[in-house]
Amino acid sequence: MLRTFAKAFRTPDLRRKLLFTIGIMVLFRLGSFIPTPGVDYAAINSIQKQASSNDLLGLINLFSGGGLLQLSVFALGIMPYITASIIVQLLRVVIPRFEVLHKEGQSGQTKLTQYTRYLTIALAILQSTAVITTARTGMLFGQTGSDTKVIDPDTPWTVTLMIITMTAGTGLIMWLGELITEKGVGNGMSLLIFTSIVAGFPGSMGQILGQSNGGVTNFIVVLVVFVGVIGAIVFVEQSQRRIRVQYAKRMVGRRTYGGSTTYIPIKINTAGVIPIIFASSLLTMPSMITQFVTNQSNPVVQWIAANFGQTDALYMVLYAALTIFFCFFYTAITFNPEEVADNMKKYGGFIPGIRAGRPTAEYLAYVINRITTPGSLYLATVALIPQVLFAFMGINQNLPFGGTTLLIIVGVGLDTVKQIESQLQQRHYEGFLR
């Protein structure tokens, strides 16, 4: 594998792409440390040393590479774009115009991408306003009513400038991601998320190792489980059910087309990481709402605080149930058996032993439901393994070892390796695996 990397860097065109990608990733990391104008950096550092970890905004802080709690220029990270992309995909079910654009090919996808960009900027304005508001009250750092001021001077003009800066940072991240996709290697947005997650690993492992009670043992156990879960994810993510499709011969002018056999690859985990993101977002809402309740001694507020922590039993059960539900829900949105059956019929394709048209759609729906069942169980298991482990070991801090992060790391890593491998194969080099 190292020899293959060396060959990749000896190829001028591929070397330029790899260096360009690495340069953009470094620039993205630098933006996570540049504070927004008006932020008292020394005050933030002093608060973070005393404050307890805040699980509510942990996912956003993770995807920003730790920039959220620093109130940096890239504080929002890539989360507004992820949210906007999910919303646009879901709107295809409700807005017929979006579904028409989706079917129009490249021109329609370009229009949907433009809508996603506009929605990203709008969400960035809302999220930056919420982040600055929680920072002024201390809730962002887990210190409600703290006397330490992180914004100096705390004036409407300063707050407005901070909102504009964070929103512009999100727009710049979008542009950097598109630059990687166009001129680099791999999917730009995915690589930026990958960079943010991996950047938090050394500090998190250091926190486990530095525990006064069994730190070394916990470190070894977490490392072994971490490697084992990644191996299982790689195995399952590479697995697929192949449905054989045969195309009949047809004459167009003097040429004969068709007569070939191909297959429809259906992954076990068709929905990817989206169900986990949906489930975690919904489960953080009760705790987030209670943060704005003035009477913290209310029995309902105390019950939510006692049962909706990431290592609580009720939270884990609901997390697994919602993950399974959203796995079926998102798969039904992204894979339309009737549309696939109509396209096959249009081009003369059929599944051997199944009639074209409605019987083919029913067969595809039957197969996708059977595949999604073990896929959803696998997704729920991967999402819960790190949290069960942390609960058993007494690790309560918000560490980047959840199912979301592991799936993203493996998925982005496999996709990037495949793209580099295809570039090498075009130049008659060996791949990563013999």
Side-chain angles (χ1 to χ4, degrees), residues 113-366:
T113 302
Q114 196 70 16
Y115 290 153
T116 304
R117 292 171 183 165
Y118 294 147
L119 185 57
T120 300
I121 297 300
L123 290 175
I125 295 174
L126 293 175
Q127 290 186 14
S128 59
T129 305
V131 166
I132 294 171
T133 302
T134 54
R136 295 172 69 187
T137 58
M139 285 192 296
L140 181 66
F141 311 100
Q143 285 192 340
T144 306
S146 173
D147 295 332
T148 306
K149 301 298 182 183
V150 298
I151 301 177
D152 186 27
D154 192 353
T155 62
W157 164 247
T158 304
V159 172
T160 304
L161 180 61
M162 292 178 66
I163 293 174
I164 294 174
T165 303
M166 289 184 180
T167 304
T170 301
L172 181 59
I173 291 174
M174 270 199 307
W175 181 62
L176 293 177
E178 291 177 359
L179 280 180
I180 292 178
T181 305
E182 180 182 354
K183 300 182 180 180
V185 177
N187 182 280
M189 298 300 179
S190 300
L191 282 174
L192 293 183
I193 297 174
F194 178 87
T195 305
S196 301
I197 295 173
V198 173
F201 272 34
S204 300
M205 296 300 291
Q207 290 179 13
I208 298 176
L209 190 60
Q211 288 180 338
S212 57
N213 186 15
V216 177
T217 304
N218 291 345
F219 178 85
I220 295 174
V221 172
V222 169
L223 192 61
V224 170
V225 173
F226 178 69
V227 174
V229 171
I230 284 185
I233 292 175
V234 171
F235 178 77
V236 176
E237 291 296 319
Q238 296 289 81
S239 304
Q240 57 183 218
R241 165 72 183 274
R242 297 182 175 183
I243 301 178
R244 191 159 64 97
V245 178
Q246 189 171 345
Y247 287 89
K249 293 183 179 179
R250 54 194 178 94
M251 294 291 297
V252 179
R254 294 184 177 182
R255 294 188 177 184
T256 303
Y257 293 90
S260 60
T261 301
T262 181
Y263 61 86
I264 301 175
I266 301 179
K267 296 178 62 177
I268 293 181
N269 180 25
T270 309
V273 74
I274 300 299
I276 296 181
I277 295 178
F278 278 5
S280 58
S281 300
L282 279 181
L283 288 178
T284 56
M285 285 185 180
S287 300
M288 185 175 296
I289 293 173
T290 58
Q291 293 289 332
F292 297 94
V293 178
T294 55
N295 184 14
Q296 292 294 317
S297 61
N298 187 291
V300 177
V301 174
Q302 292 182 352
W303 182 83
I304 292 176
N307 293 278
F308 276 79
Q310 292 188 356
T311 55
D312 293 329
L314 179 61
Y315 180 92
M316 293 183 185
V317 171
L318 293 176
Y319 193 20
L322 287 174
T323 300
I324 294 173
F325 168 76
F326 282 121
C327 194
F328 280 93
F329 176 75
Y330 194 76
T331 301
I333 292 176
T334 55
F335 187 89
N336 189 345
E338 294 183 0
E339 182 180 348
V340 176
D342 290 341
N343 290 333
M344 288 171 52
K345 185 177 181 180
K346 185 186 302 181
Y347 294 102
F350 61 94
I351 300 173
I354 307 295
R355 287 192 304 164
R358 185 171 182 82
T360 299
E362 293 176 350
Y363 176 76
L364 291 175
Y366 170 74

Side-chain angles (χ1 to χ4, degrees), residues 87-101:
I87 291 175
V88 169
Q89 289 189 33
L90 294 178
L91 286 178
R92 285 171 41 199
V93 184
V94 213
I95 303 178
R97 172 63 179 167
F98 280 23
E99 184 65 25
V100 172
L101 289 174

Side-chain angles (χ1 to χ4, degrees), residues 390-418:
F390 294 157
F392 178 77
M393 297 171 59
I395 303 176
N396 295 323
Q397 62 256 43
N398 189 21
L399 300 177
F401 297 107
T404 307
T405 57
L406 294 179
L407 285 170
I408 290 174
I409 289 173
V410 173
V412 175
L414 290 175
D415 181 64
T416 306
V417 165
K418 287 179 181 178

Side-chain angles (χ1 to χ4, degrees), residues 374-389:
S376 62
L377 295 175
Y378 143 79
L379 207 59
T381 303
V382 170
L384 287 178
I385 282 179
Q387 296 186 9
V388 172
L389 174 67

